[in-house]
Structure formats: C-alpha cells, structure tokens
Amino acid sequence: MPAVKKRRIVDSITKESIISNLANSTRLDERGLLDYRNLEIETKILKDKTNGSARVKLGESEVWAGIKVETANPFPDTPAEGVMTCNAERLPISSQYIEPGPPDEDTIELSRVSDRGIRESGMIDVKELCIKEGERVYSVYVDVAVINDDGNLFDAVAYAATTALLMSDMNKFTIEDDEIKMLDEKQPLPIKSVPVSTTFAKIGDKIIMDPNADEEEMATARVTLVTDENGKYVSAQKGKPGGFTFDELREISVISKEKGDEIRIKIREAVKNGA
Amino acid sequence: MSKNNIERISGRAPDELRNVSIKAGVIKNADGSALIEFGKNKIMAAVFGPKEVHPKHMMVSDRAIIKCRYHMMPFSTDTRKRPNISRREIEISKVIREALQPAIIMEDYPRTAIEIYIEILQSDGGSRCAAINAASTALADAGINMRDLVAACAAGKVNGQVVLDVDDTEDKTGEADMPIALLPNTGLITLFQLDGNLSKEEFDKALELGKTGCDKLYKLQRDALSEKYFNDKNGNKEE
C-alpha cells in the first residue's frame, strides 16, 4: 500500500523553465504542446528466439517487445478461444529510480493498461487461436522490457507490443487421428485491428502530449486513450492525483483520434519495412 | 432518452441507477466509516488518521500522505477469490487513491498519514465506483478537511445502447464500461477509465450520463452524512 514512492527529482530551474515555456505554449525541447518526440520503430530485433519482436524509441524512452507463441489448455469458460497476455517490466537499468524486486504499483498499472488496450481492441482474433476446442489453444505472450525511461512509457510499451504482434508468426498444425501435430511451417497471427495509444498530461491548465519524464513528474494528471482504426475508443486510463474537466476530456478524445491515425501509419510503415 | 430504448436485463431505464444506500459511521473503532450497498455490492470503507506515519521515511514534511487499500474478501465473488492480493486490487487501490487525493486538503495535516481501507464483502459490477463513494463519505465522517466529496459512477454500453451504471450481468455481455469519479463542485474528473468499444458520439454520451450518475451519488452521500450528524434516527450521539 505505498503512498510515497521514490520520486524523480526535477530541479527547480527545470521546473520553472517548463512552466514559463508552457505559458508561451512551447516546451523545453522545442516541441509544440501536442507534438510527439521522434518515434523510431525497428522490427526483428530478437529474431532467433521470439515469434515477433520490436524496439521502440520515443525520444530517449526505449522499450523492447518480444512475443512467444506457445500452446496451452484453454480456460474452462472459453474452451474455443486462445489466450493473450501482455506484461511490461521496468528494468532496473531503465532508471535510477527503479529497483529490482517485485513490480510496484506503477509497473502493474503500466502492464495492465497495455494489456487492456490490446485486449479490448480485439486486435487478436482469439477464436482463430483455437487448435482443438476444449483441449488445445495457442497462447500468445507479449512481454515488454523498458530499457530506458524518459517518460510516456504507456505509449512506448503499447507501440512496441502492437508492432511486435503485427510482426509475429505462429506454427501451423494438423490434426491426424485426433492427434494434434505442430508443424515447423509458420503462419501470421490472426490480426483484426491496430490499436494506437495516445497519452496526455496536464501541467497547470495546459494539456500536452507525449510528456517526457520531467514533464510527467510535474503533471497533476495524465490520461491515456486508445483508439482503433475505425475511430472507436477501446480503452482509457487516467493517472496521477489530479483531474480533467469534462471539456478537456472531450477535446482530448478528438485529438487522440487524429494523433492515433498519424502514429498508426508509422507503425504500419515499420511493419512493411520489416517484412 | 426515450427513443429506441432496449430493455435492460435488470429492467432498469438507460439512465437509472441500481438501488443505492449509504450509511455513515458504521464502524466504531474507525475515525470515519461508511457502508455502501450499490446493487449487490456491499462495501465498507474505514478511515484512520491523521496519524503517525509508518514507516517513518515515508513522512512528508509539508503535507499528509494518503494510503489506500482496496481489498476483496474471498467470499465476495462467484468463485472464491484467492486471498492473495491481486494485480487488479493493486491497480484499483492506486486509481482510487488518486481519485480521492485531490479532494483532501493534505496541507492541513503535515507529517501524518491518512489511511483508507476498503473491504469488498459482496461484489457486483462497478465496485470501484461504489468504493469511492463509500471512502469519500468515510473521509468526511472522519472530519478530514476536504475541498469536496468525490462521487463516482460508471456508464457503459450494453446491447448497443449507452446506459448508466453497468452491473455484473450486463458487464459480461456489455460492449463498454467507463467508470468516472467527479468532484461535483469543482467539475474535476479524478477517475477515468474505459474498456470496450465506443464511437465518438457514444463516448460523449457516456461521459454526460456518467456525470448525471455522479450527481445522484453526491446527493446520496450528503444525505448519509446529514442523517448521521443532523437527524440521527438511532440516537447515537457524535462526540
């Protein structure tokens, strides 16, 4: 039940400059309020052991995602559906504020929010992950490692997980005499949509996108919105002990869709270049 | 909201809440407490503090710290919940704490801790919202200085229809669930989550509907507090 964690220290000169810049609607790294940092997406970075992988650099934030597709018994309440789980880890190498040990509440939130974005968008058609109803299904494990934390991990992790899933394959199978046989031949994952996450932070009364670590620490409230390519909102999470007004949320929902479409193009490009 | 209304499983109107009752001051040993019955949800919240901080290094010199635990009893769910604290409970504890914190004037209690314990005794859909209503009532009952109460309610989409207060059975077949917590007098949304599938129109409509739900809960919280402090039927005198 932690209430105070080891918090990032932002020196007062940085704080003051962030605030005075925001008053003129600019940011310390010369971005506009709603600009993302440079987004680099690379694929097939871990191709020897994974079914799919991706590295995302969002400014100085860097995350790696790897997919393992295995087979498992289905859950009793969904005998004809495969399983997908997404997990994110903030490694101790990623920041001086993170220590080894069981995940803290921030890491659990990061993990659960990225899982929810993929799950609720129906990105993977879990019905197509069924091998034999009630007996065997594919189980897709998405694991994301945070290598360097310079803020907005919610988006970086989501982009890495999505890209790695788009790049991922799985073994084909045959059923002979009621016996399941996994083959060496591969097929792509059954992908239905491409969810894109966008994150906003509120400092004073200014709303910015893609906060870096200093901005994130100073923000009173943060909200992540995930949209799919049909412009549907599939997941959201507000964080930090502050709030947004109804008008702000309505405005954010409009911008989220526009930015999401731009970023989806970048993800698709990276997948095309990697194919 | 009259056109094309589809019958809800519960028979409620699209903008109708489940039965809600809130009672303040139900636990004698706590500094503040509340019991909320929200549909089938039965939730107790207790507040202790301001009190000394343990462990000491967590103390903050110019304000109080808030600790919050959302906990489900093993018998509160359909199939027994394992007593281990789950990742879901950790996340919900965090979002509830962040939803309540803006309402508490923490600067009034430097070097102290305010502890909020939420126990789910029977769960239905929307337990996090119900818990926030109980916890906010308990905070006020504890006499903690607050800017506002925090009212919470979910809106969602079931059978293609945007509805207020999605319950357990509706959530299983529903397409979306959007819990909201609101400081009614400042208009600040301090809890906002969504999972499911909403178009832009549905998103705006759910926000609007959620707000009307929060307004109703706000009134129920105030009623519970005035029941205890101004019109106490049980004859318990506040010290």
Side-chain angles (χ1 to χ4, degrees):
Chain A
M1 200 173 48
V4 176
K5 54 173 196 263
K6 224 169 143 187
R7 285 181 66 162
R8 185 188 177 85
I9 293 161
V10 186
D11 53 78
S12 42
I13 194 155
T14 310
K15 272 186 191 166
E16 281 162 23
S17 337
I18 287 176
I19 290 168
S20 59
N21 271 279
L22 281 179
N24 303 319
S25 295
T26 59
R27 287 159 85 173
L28 280 193
D29 52 12
E30 292 173 354
R31 275 188 285 162
L33 297 186
L34 303 178
D35 291 344
Y36 265 71
R37 290 169 288 180
N38 188 32
L39 174 62
E40 270 176 55
I41 308 176
E42 249 180 282
T43 56
K44 291 186 174 167
I45 48 152
L46 303 161
K47 58 181 175 206
D48 294 325
K49 302 281 178 181
T50 64
N51 292 85
S53 58
R55 168 169 48 216
V56 164
K57 285 188 183 171
L58 186 54
E60 295 298 323
S61 282
E62 177 174 350
V63 304
W64 293 34
I67 314 278
K68 298 288 253 183
V69 185
E70 299 179 348
T71 63
N73 300 330
F75 288 115
D77 54 338
T78 51
E81 288 182 10
V83 184
M84 189 283 302
T85 54
C86 179
N87 176 58
E89 283 181 55
R90 298 197 299 163
L91 305 180
I93 55 171
S94 69
S95 150
Q96 58 165 315
Y97 301 101
I98 294 168
E99 282 171 12
D104 64 6
E105 57 171 20
D106 290 342
T107 309
I108 288 172
E109 185 185 28
L110 174 66
S111 227
R112 286 177 57 87
V113 170
S114 46
D115 183 282
R116 217 138 59 204
I118 295 167
R119 189 178 302 278
E120 296 297 333
S121 68
M123 178 180 184
I124 300 171
D125 188 350
V126 283
K127 290 201 174 70
E128 292 289 314
L129 292 179
C130 181
I131 297 171
K132 199 172 171 198
E133 186 171 338
E135 280 184 32
R136 214 69 189 148
V137 296
Y138 288 104
S139 183
V140 179
Y141 296 97
V142 185
D143 286 285
V144 188
V146 177
I147 303 292
N148 193 60
D149 176 2
D150 189 27
N152 198 9
L153 294 179
F154 285 89
D155 287 351
V157 166
Y159 303 157
T162 308
T163 311
L165 280 169
L166 288 171
M167 293 300 295
S168 186
D169 55 24
M170 58 190 195
N171 290 62
K172 287 186 174 174
F173 66 91
T174 55
I175 299 179
E176 285 166 21
D177 301 330
D178 236 24
E179 193 89 345
I180 302 161
K181 208 173 142 205
M182 301 308 293
L183 308 171
D184 288 334
E185 216 182 319
K186 308 274 189 186
Q187 57 181 339
L189 285 188
I191 301 284
K192 279 205 305 193
S193 76
V194 182
V196 175
S197 161
T198 51
T199 296
F200 300 77
K202 186 171 168 184
I203 302 178
D205 58 355
K206 295 278 184 183
I207 303 232
I208 57 171
M209 285 188 95
D210 182 28
N212 65 28
D214 287 338
E215 291 168 333
E216 208 165 51
E217 174 55 38
M218 286 183 61
T220 52
R222 181 202 74 228
V223 69
T224 299
L225 258 181
V226 184
T227 50
D228 69 8
E229 60 255 77
N230 304 320
K232 295 286 177 70
Y233 301 91
V234 298
S235 150
Q237 177 95 345
K238 187 234 118 193
K240 305 213 72 177
F244 294 94
T245 63
F246 280 99
D247 286 339
E248 283 167 347
L249 277 186
R250 273 188 280 265
E251 198 186 318
I252 281 168
S253 69
V254 176
I255 303 164
S256 165
K257 221 188 267 190
E258 291 164 7
K259 280 285 167 187
D261 288 342
E262 286 171 26
I263 292 162
R264 189 172 294 105
I265 293 171
K266 287 190 185 171
I267 292 175
R268 285 233 164 89
E269 237 164 55
V271 171
K272 209 169 118 194
N273 294 338
Chain B
M1 307 206 46
S2 57
K3 65 168 186 190
N4 300 331
N5 280 350
I6 303 154
E7 180 84 17
R8 291 174 76 172
I9 307 165
S10 55
R12 282 187 281 148
D15 57 351
E16 190 180 338
L17 287 173
R18 283 168 284 180
N19 286 334
V20 184
S21 80
I22 307 174
K23 193 170 181 343
V26 290
I27 300 167
K28 228 173 174 162
N29 283 348
D31 295 311
S33 61
L35 166 70
I36 187 166
E37 296 185 310
F38 199 125
K40 284 184 235 134
N41 282 305
K42 281 190 208 306
I43 300 169
M44 290 240 190
V47 170
F48 292 85
K51 54 186 278 193
E52 71 276 25
V53 183
H54 284 297
K56 258 199 159 153
H57 68 83
M58 285 168 78
M59 191 165 78
V60 181
S61 56
D62 60 349
R63 64 170 176 87
I65 60 165
I66 314 293
K67 296 181 177 189
C68 176
R69 187 181 85 146
Y70 165 101
H71 176 245
M72 289 180 108
M73 286 306 294
F75 51 70
S76 65
T77 46
D78 286 336
T79 47
R80 178 174 185 266
K81 182 206 163 279
R82 292 178 54 206
N84 317 29
I85 183 145
S86 66
R87 287 158 65 90
R88 175 178 173 276
E89 285 170 294
I90 294 174
E91 188 206 329
I92 293 181
S93 299
K94 179 178 191 281
V95 295
I96 290 180
R97 189 186 73 228
E98 290 173 342
L100 295 169
Q101 206 166 303
I104 302 169
I105 307 179
M106 299 194 291
E107 297 74 24
D108 286 356
Y109 309 104
R111 300 178 298 281
T112 64
I114 297 169
E115 293 172 355
I116 304 163
Y117 295 98
I118 294 159
E119 303 293 348
I120 313 293
L121 303 168
Q122 184 167 288
S123 73
D124 194 353
S127 69
R128 75 194 64 188
C129 291
I132 288 172
N133 293 311
S136 144
T137 310
L139 280 165
D141 182 39
I144 306 276
N145 294 353
M146 291 168 83
R147 296 181 178 87
D148 205 343
L149 287 168
V150 187
C153 187
K157 186 173 135 194
V158 184
N159 295 325
Q161 184 176 220
V162 177
V163 296
L164 185 65
D165 183 27
V166 178
D167 64 31
D168 220 5
T169 27
E170 289 178 321
D171 199 27
K172 285 198 177 80
T173 55
E175 294 108 290
D177 189 19
M178 182 198 273
I180 293 169
L182 174 71
L183 272 59
N185 293 308
T186 44
L188 213 54
I189 299 164
T190 59
L191 174 116
F192 177 66
Q193 292 182 298
L194 164 70
D195 52 59
N197 192 314
L198 292 177
S199 70
K200 174 69 180 141
E201 297 78 62
E202 290 162 344
F203 181 91
D204 288 345
K205 201 172 166 189
L207 263 184
E208 204 52 56
L209 205 53
K211 185 182 181 299
T212 64
C214 290
D215 290 339
K216 287 177 193 163
L217 261 310
Y218 175 62
K219 194 180 169 297
L220 290 167
Q221 292 180 75
R222 289 184 51 139
D223 289 351
L225 289 164
S226 27
E227 166 99 15
K228 180 180 173 191
Y229 287 100
F230 304 122
N231 182 26
D232 196 326
K233 286 173 189 158
N234 301 324
N236 300 324
K237 285 277 174 317
E238 177 61 17
E239 289 167 1

